[in-house]
Amino acid sequence: MLFIVIAKDAPGALEKRQQVRDEHLRGIESYIKTKKILFGGAILDDDGKMVGSSLLVDFESREALDEFLHNDIYTRSGVWQDFEIYPFKRAV
């Protein structure tokens, strides 16, 4: 099932985000290879600073997605604070 994920960073999390970014990218490699993560990237503020992430993912269930998000280093280290998650239906 496809989902759009908006992961909002905690206030002041930019330094922590940068510290754990490489671990985050290594941790999602298998999800990219298996096409569970279709695309993703940083959300920027008006000054171009990273303040969150946006993902289009394909997980078998909302529970599987929640488990992935809970176990990601960005969540575990306090970078990602809030999530908006929406089921997604591709039109084009």
Side-chain angles (χ1 to χ4, degrees):
M1 180 173 202
L2 294 174
F3 296 93
I4 293 282
V5 177
I6 307 295
K8 297 177 184 176
D9 287 2
L14 182 58
E15 185 177 329
K16 177 55 84 172
R17 174 187 267 272
Q18 292 169 333
Q19 290 172 354
V20 299
R21 184 173 185 272
D22 289 342
E23 185 176 346
H24 165 72
L25 293 174
R26 282 191 305 275
I28 64 172
E29 284 178 3
S30 66
Y31 294 95
I32 294 167
K33 287 179 184 174
T34 59
K35 300 190 189 288
K36 289 187 184 302
I37 296 177
L38 304 175
F39 76 78
I43 297 171
L44 308 177
D45 67 10
D46 291 337
D47 297 322
K49 293 182 180 149
M50 293 180 276
V51 295
S53 302
S54 175
L55 304 161
L56 177 62
V57 299
D58 188 1
F59 279 81
E60 52 278 357
S61 67
R62 172 62 192 262
E63 292 77 20
L65 171 58
D66 288 345
E67 182 178 340
F68 159 74
L69 293 172
H70 176 77
N71 289 316
D72 189 279
I73 186 64
Y74 278 174
T75 303
R76 290 185 291 117
S77 67
V79 174
W80 284 341
Q81 181 179 45
D82 283 322
F83 298 98
E84 292 181 33
I85 300 171
Y86 303 96
F88 181 78
K89 183 176 179 182
R90 185 177 304 185
V92 294

